[in-house]
C-alpha cells in the first residue's frame, strides 16, 4: 500500500495514540480466536480450490468453465483475505504496544476494504453472467468467453484496489478501531466531507453489488422454474441441471454475503451519519464501537462460508442428501400407510 499524505499521517497517528491510551491491551483469548478463524478460513478455501481444480479437469461445457473460473477467483481472493489481514491482526493482538506508524494502519485498513469489496463485486459479476446464460443463452455464447471473463476479473480487482487506495489520495481516511486491534474506514468523528464520501462510496458499492446479485439471481431462478414446469426435452433438461446447480450455489453465496456484510455496512452508515458534524459522548461512542466490532466479526465469516457454500451445494452432495432423506421419507410413508391400512381394517371389522 502507498503511504498516506502528511495530513492523513498525522491524524492517523494521533488517533492511534488516543485509542491506545483509552483501551486495554488485547487479551490472549482474542489471539486464539484470530488463529482459529485464519486456520478454518484458509483450510476451507484450500479444500474448495482442490475441488474446483478437479471439476475443471473434467470440464465439458464452456459455460461451466467460465463459472469455475469465477468461483476459483472468488475462493483465491477469500484465501488471501484470510492470510494477509489475519496475519496483521494477529500481530496487533500479540504486540504489547500498537504500532504507531500510519502506514501500518493504512495497509490493514486498505486490505480489509479490498478483500471485503472483491467478493461482493465478484458475486455480482457471477450472478449477472449466469443470468445472461440462463435467460439469453445464444447471446451469452456470443459475448462471454474465457479471455473476456479474465478481463472482467481484472477489472473487479482494479476497482476494489482503486477504492482501497483512495485515502492515499486524500479522499477519506483509515483509523484504528476499538479495541485497537484493527483498522478500518474512519466512521466515527469524521473530520471532513471526504470521510463521509468515502464511507458512502464503499457502502454504496457493496450494497449495490448485493442488490444487483439479488435481482440477477431472482431472474435466473424464475427462468429456470418456468423451464422446469414446461418439461423441456431430455437433452435440454440435462443442460438445465447444470444451470440449476450454479444458480443454487450463487444464491447460497449471496445469502451468506448479505448475512455477513449487511450489519457492518449498515452500522458504518449509521455511525458516520450520526457523528458527522457533531460530537458523541463516551457512552454513544461505546455503543457504536460495539456495533462496528460485531459487524466486522460477522464480515470475516463470509470468507469462511463462501467455500463451504460451493462445497456443500454441488450436485453430487445434494444428490446424496436427497437419497438419504428420500429413503427415510419413503420408509416413514410406508410405515404410516401400513398403520393406516391396519387401523382401517380393524375399524371396518367393528362396523
Amino acid at each position: 500500500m502507498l503511504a498516506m499524505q502528511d495530513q492523513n499521517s498525522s491524524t492517523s497517528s494521533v488517533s492511534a495514540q488516543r485509542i491506545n491510551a483509552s483501551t486495554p491491551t488485547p487479551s490472549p483469548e482474542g489471539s486464539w480466536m484470530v488463529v482459529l478463524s485464519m486456520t478454518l478460513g484458509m483450510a476451507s478455501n484450500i479444500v474448495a480450490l482442490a475441488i474446483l481444480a478437479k471439476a475443471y479437469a473434467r470440464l465439458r461445457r464452456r459455460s461451466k468453465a467460465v463459472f469455475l473460473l469465477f468461483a476459483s477467483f472468488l475462493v483465491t481472493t477469500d484465501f488471501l483475505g484470510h492470510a494477509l489481514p489475519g496475519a496483521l491482526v494477529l500481530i496487533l493482538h500479540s504486540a504489547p504496544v500498537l504500532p504507531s506508524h500510519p502506514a501500518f494502519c493504512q495497509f490493514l485498513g486498505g486490505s480489509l476494504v479490498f478483500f471485503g469489496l472483491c467478493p461482493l463485486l465478484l458475486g455480482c459479476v457471477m450472478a449477472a453472467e449466469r443470468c445472461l446464460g440462463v435467460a439469453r443463452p445464444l447471446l451469452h455464447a456470443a459475448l462471454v468467453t474465457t479471455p473476456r471473463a479474465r478481463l472482467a476479473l481484472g477489472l473487479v480487482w482494479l476497482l476494489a484496489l482503486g477504492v482501497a487506495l483512495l485515502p492515499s489520495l486524500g479522499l477519506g481516511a483509515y483509523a484504528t478501531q476499538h479495541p485497537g486491534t484493527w483498522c478500518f474506514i474512519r466512521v466515527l468523528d469524521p473530520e471532513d466531507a471526504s470521510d463521509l464520501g468515502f464511507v458512502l462510496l464503499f457502502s454504496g458499492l457493496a450494497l449495490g453489488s448485493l442488490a444487483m446479485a439479488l435481482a440477477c439471481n431472482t431472474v435466473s431462478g424464475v427462468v429456470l422454474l418456468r423451464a422446469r414446469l414446461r418439461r423441456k426435452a431430455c437433452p435440454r433438461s440435462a443442460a438445465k441441471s447444470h444451470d440449476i446447480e450454479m444458480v443454487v450455489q450463487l444464491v447460497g453465496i449471496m445469502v451468506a454475503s448479505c448475512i455477513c456484510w449487511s450489519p457492518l455496512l449498515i452500522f458504518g452508515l449509521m455511525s458516520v451519519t450520526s457523528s458527522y458534524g457533531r460530537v458523541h459522548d463516551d457512552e454513544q461512542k461505546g455503543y457504536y464501537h460495539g456495533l462496528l466490532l460485531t459487524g466486522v466479526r460477522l464480515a470475516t465469516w463470509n470468507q469462511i462460508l463462501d467455500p463451504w457454500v460451493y462445497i456443500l451445494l454441488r450436485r453430487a452432495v445434494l444428490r446424496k442428501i436427497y437419497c438419504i432423506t428420500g429413503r427415510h421419507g419413503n420408509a416413514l410413508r410406508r410405515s404410516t400407510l401400513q398403520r393406516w391400512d391396519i387401523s382401517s381394517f380393524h375399524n371396518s371389522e367393528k362396523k
Side-chain angles (χ1 to χ4, degrees):
M1 293 285 180
L2 298 175
M4 287 189 292
Q5 294 179 350
D6 292 338
Q7 183 179 0
N8 287 338
S9 300
S10 60
T11 55
S12 297
S13 178
V14 170
S15 139
Q17 293 170 2
R18 182 171 63 249
I19 292 179
N20 256 336
S22 59
T23 56
T25 303
S27 62
E29 290 79 4
S31 301
W32 283 110
M33 289 298 296
V34 174
V35 172
L36 179 62
S37 176
M38 283 182 59
T39 304
L40 180 60
M42 293 172 68
S44 302
N45 284 285
I46 289 173
V47 172
L49 280 174
I51 295 174
L52 284 166
K54 186 177 179 180
Y56 201 87
R58 297 181 303 175
L59 194 61
R60 293 293 182 272
R61 289 178 174 83
R62 193 181 72 175
S63 62
K64 187 73 173 179
V66 174
F67 179 83
L68 291 177
L69 178 63
F70 284 149
S72 301
F73 204 81
L74 174 64
V75 173
T76 302
T77 304
D78 286 337
F79 176 82
L80 295 175
H82 268 287
L84 294 181
L88 294 176
V89 172
L90 188 59
I91 291 174
L92 287 176
H93 271 276
S94 58
V97 179
L98 183 70
S100 58
H101 199 284
F104 191 91
C105 190
Q106 171 84 351
F107 184 81
L108 179 55
S111 298
L112 291 178
V113 169
F114 174 78
F115 289 112
L117 199 56
C118 265
L120 302 180
L121 294 174
L122 285 172
C124 176
V125 171
M126 293 171 70
E129 184 270 333
R130 273 298 81 212
C131 182
L132 182 62
V134 170
R136 296 290 185 268
L138 296 179
L139 182 61
H140 177 274
L143 294 180
V144 180
T145 61
T146 301
R148 288 177 178 174
R150 292 196 181 100
L151 177 62
L153 293 174
L155 292 176
V156 167
W157 264 40
L158 286 177
L159 176 59
L161 182 62
V163 173
L165 291 176
L166 284 178
S168 302
L169 304 176
L171 178 59
Y174 297 115
T176 308
Q177 307 291 332
H178 178 82
T181 55
W182 60 294
C183 293
F184 195 58
I185 302 171
R186 180 187 290 141
V187 294
L188 278 176
D189 301 328
E191 297 183 352
D192 50 34
S194 66
D195 292 339
L196 177 63
F198 187 40
V199 176
L200 294 178
L201 175 64
F202 173 76
S203 300
L205 283 175
L207 292 173
S209 299
L210 292 174
M212 185 68 178
L214 175 62
C216 292
N217 288 328
T218 301
V219 172
S220 300
V222 170
V223 172
L224 289 176
L225 181 60
R226 292 175 61 185
R228 193 76 173 179
L229 294 175
R230 289 173 185 168
R231 298 185 180 276
K232 298 286 187 178
C234 185
R236 296 279 295 177
S237 63
K240 291 296 180 183
S241 65
H242 285 274
D243 291 331
I244 291 173
E245 178 190 26
M246 290 185 283
V247 171
V248 167
Q249 290 171 343
L250 287 175
V251 170
I253 291 173
M254 179 196 68
V255 171
S257 299
C258 288
I259 294 174
C260 294
W261 271 99
S262 294
L264 179 61
L265 297 173
I266 295 173
F267 294 162
L269 288 174
M270 289 172 53
S271 301
V272 74
T273 53
S274 65
S275 61
Y276 183 68
R278 69 187 72 174
V279 178
H280 286 313
D281 56 27
D282 292 338
E283 182 179 356
Q284 291 174 320
K285 286 184 179 181
Y287 172 72
Y288 286 112
H289 283 153
L291 290 180
L292 290 174
L293 189 59
T294 302
V296 78
R297 285 172 175 170
L298 280 174
T300 56
W301 276 95
N302 185 41
Q303 296 166 331
I304 299 175
L305 294 177
D306 277 348
W308 284 108
V309 167
Y310 177 78
I311 292 170
L312 297 178
L313 295 184
R314 291 176 297 136
R315 281 190 305 163
V317 177
L318 294 177
R319 191 181 294 116
K320 291 179 181 178
I321 296 175
Y322 177 78
C323 291
I324 294 172
T325 56
R327 281 198 296 267
H328 288 300
N330 291 333
L332 180 61
R333 283 193 294 271
R334 283 196 299 268
S335 64
T336 303
L337 288 173
Q338 289 173 358
R339 289 195 300 269
W340 185 82
D341 290 339
I342 294 172
S343 63
S344 298
F345 178 71
H346 289 319
N347 290 334
S348 63
E349 281 188 330
K350 290 179 182 179
K351 294 179 181 177

